[in-house]
Amino acid sequence: MSDVPAVKAALKSQAVETPSWAYGNSGTRFKVFAQPGVPRSPQEKLDDAAQVHTFTGVAPTVALHIPWDTVEDYGALAKYAEERGLKLGAINSNVFQDDDYKLGSVTHPDPAVRRKALDHLLECVDIMDATGSRDLKLWFSDGTNYPGQDDIAARQDRLAEALSAVYERLGEEQRMLLEYKFFEPAFYTTDVPDWGTAYAHCLKLGPKAQVCVDTGHHAPGTNIEFIVALLLREKKLGAFDFNSRFYADDDLMVGAADPFQLFRIMYEVVRGGGLSSGVAFMLDQCHNIEPKIPAIIRSVMNVQEATAKALLVDRDALAAAQRGGDVLGANAVLMDAYNTDVRPLLAEVREELGIDPDPMGAYRDSGWAERIVAERVGGRQAGWGA
């Protein structure tokens, strides 16, 4: 049986980063849906993020997205976060919302556009210096829609050149996290379409470059836990972007559609030492039809529940069954852990952390939702345009 005190200790030390953009307005490809009480500034996003951390106990950092979270003084923003019990986390670049990037950013055929994109990435490292952030998150929508539109190999050369320039700019304690997406919005070729492409570039760059696995960025049927296991084995798994998906988009709450998959992924994380090796666990979701803060709290809880079940796997019994070729016995060990109701265990963990055992109920009773609706009147709500 698993060591329950050790499981509790691991759960208490777990950290799930929340994304600033999840607190703002968002929507589908066709419409952004506004909600009352949505933040109007990065500071108000941090106010909401502090509520998530207050009621979960394990969400101490907030990822920023530039230019969505642009401020004049990033050091002051970091201090604002610290005063609310938070730290600023990964800095996410944006080289996909500018007319110049219609044919690509760092892989664009025009060197002037490539320079503009690279300057933005280097600016993001400057922001990391000011905020104390460890990670730079890179996702590129670059690619082509038609055969012959551009030289596939040349675009990889341009990508490598940009990544190398950014890598050289990183500080000793900073990392580059390269995300991939197998298609959309580039439908013929995508310049970073899979974990293999991301891994190849990171391997060439060096130890400060690692792969970010977005759990929604895979073709149906892809065995994500295999990718996780391999990248952990190679010490190249840097981060997760947790979410869930149907068809092509990836903005649903993590674990909402397939909690068993999330459990399988987290088991490989536990087995591969990912809980203690610096892997960043971040949500990457937009909450379009559900209230923002409760959805983020529930998402954090979903990650906690999958992690708790993964930690409860009897690894000695599993290894014995595997060595003996006991196919059904080995599967049963995993299923026993997955079928365990870990909610009482997590309630105990929260009580030992000094927080309410029911985060959703505690937030509902706090009055914060009503307060922000009443106070955040006027101004321009944060969000991405559509």
Side-chain angles (χ1 to χ4, degrees):
M1 296 295 292
S2 299
D3 182 346
V4 173
V7 169
K8 285 185 174 182
L11 292 168
K12 290 174 186 176
S13 65
Q14 186 178 28
V16 180
E17 186 161 299
T18 69
S20 69
W21 52 97
Y23 299 98
N25 284 325
S26 59
T28 67
R29 294 292 184 267
F30 312 107
K31 171 64 177 174
V32 168
F33 302 102
Q35 295 185 17
V38 160
R40 298 160 297 178
S41 66
Q43 289 82 1
E44 289 184 348
K45 292 178 183 179
L46 292 173
D47 292 339
D48 287 355
Q51 297 300 306
V52 175
H53 185 45
T54 293
F55 294 111
T56 64
V58 295
T61 59
V62 182
L64 300 184
H65 207 296
I66 308 300
W68 298 345
D69 294 314
T70 298
V71 295
E72 291 186 3
D73 188 336
Y74 289 98
L77 187 65
K79 184 178 180 182
Y80 189 92
E82 185 177 352
E83 290 169 350
R84 282 146 187 81
L86 301 171
K87 290 185 178 180
L88 299 181
I91 303 300
N92 291 253
S93 59
N94 183 324
V95 286
F96 52 84
Q97 279 191 318
D98 189 296
D99 285 346
D100 285 341
Y101 301 143
K102 181 169 65 175
L103 300 180
S105 61
V106 296
T107 66
H108 197 288
D110 184 343
V113 175
R114 296 201 300 272
R115 183 69 242 182
K116 175 179 177 177
L118 177 59
D119 286 344
H120 170 71
L121 302 184
L122 296 174
E123 175 196 11
C124 286
V125 183
D126 293 339
I127 294 171
M128 293 168 65
D129 292 341
T131 60
S133 300
R134 178 186 64 172
D135 295 334
L136 172 67
K137 181 82 67 58
L138 302 177
W139 175 71
F140 301 103
S141 64
D142 296 31
T144 64
N145 281 342
Y146 296 96
Q149 178 181 326
D150 201 358
D151 187 307
I152 295 173
R155 291 178 75 92
Q156 290 298 310
D157 291 341
R158 300 168 197 157
L159 173 63
E161 181 179 2
L163 293 176
S164 179
V166 176
Y167 189 90
E168 291 303 314
R169 170 64 183 82
L170 293 173
E172 285 301 316
E173 303 301 321
Q174 294 173 337
R175 305 188 306 176
M176 170 194 298
L177 303 174
L178 182 57
E179 187 178 346
Y180 56 90
K181 189 174 186 180
F182 77 110
F183 79 105
E184 191 214 24
F187 290 96
Y188 175 61
T189 63
T190 299
D191 291 330
V192 190
D194 51 41
W195 70 270
T197 305
Y199 173 73
H201 281 284
C202 289
L203 188 65
K204 188 171 183 179
L205 287 166
K208 291 187 288 186
Q210 296 186 305
V211 179
C212 173
V213 173
D214 185 305
T215 51
H217 286 188
H218 302 87
T222 299
N223 190 313
I224 301 174
E225 55 267 35
F226 171 82
I227 299 170
V228 170
L230 190 145
L231 290 174
L232 276 170
R233 182 175 181 270
E234 298 298 320
K235 296 180 172 53
K236 278 296 181 182
L237 179 62
F240 282 98
D241 276 1
F242 280 128
N243 50 53
S244 184
R245 68 183 287 274
F246 282 108
Y247 185 48
D249 213 346
D250 63 346
D251 285 337
L252 300 179
M253 288 168 49
V254 59
D258 190 353
F260 185 47
Q261 180 191 62
L262 181 59
F263 160 75
R264 300 193 311 265
I265 291 170
M266 290 311 301
Y267 173 71
E268 292 303 331
V269 170
V270 170
R271 188 227 173 272
L275 289 182
S276 58
S277 64
V279 176
F281 301 96
M282 195 194 80
L283 305 178
D284 183 13
Q285 305 167 171
C286 292
H287 303 289
N288 304 333
I289 61 174
E290 64 271 33
K292 311 290 182 181
I293 299 174
I296 298 170
I297 291 173
R298 167 45 68 186
S299 298
V300 172
M301 293 172 66
N302 287 350
V303 175
Q304 286 182 294
E305 289 175 14
T307 305
K309 293 180 178 186
L311 288 163
L312 288 173
V313 171
D314 188 335
R315 293 172 61 180
D316 291 338
L318 180 60
Q322 291 170 340
R323 287 193 302 269
D326 185 356
V327 175
L328 294 180
N331 177 253
V333 173
L334 278 180
M335 295 309 299
D336 283 345
Y338 176 69
N339 288 322
T340 301
D341 184 356
V342 296
R343 290 174 297 178
L345 173 65
L346 284 164
E348 291 179 15
V349 168
R350 294 179 186 117
E351 288 179 329
E352 291 172 11
L353 286 173
I355 62 176
D356 195 292
D358 177 14
M360 293 290 284
Y363 172 73
R364 182 183 61 246
D365 296 340
S366 72
W368 183 259
E370 294 78 12
R371 174 181 167 183
I372 58 178
V373 169
E375 292 182 354
R376 295 175 184 172
V377 177
R380 182 177 181 180
Q381 291 184 324
W384 50 268

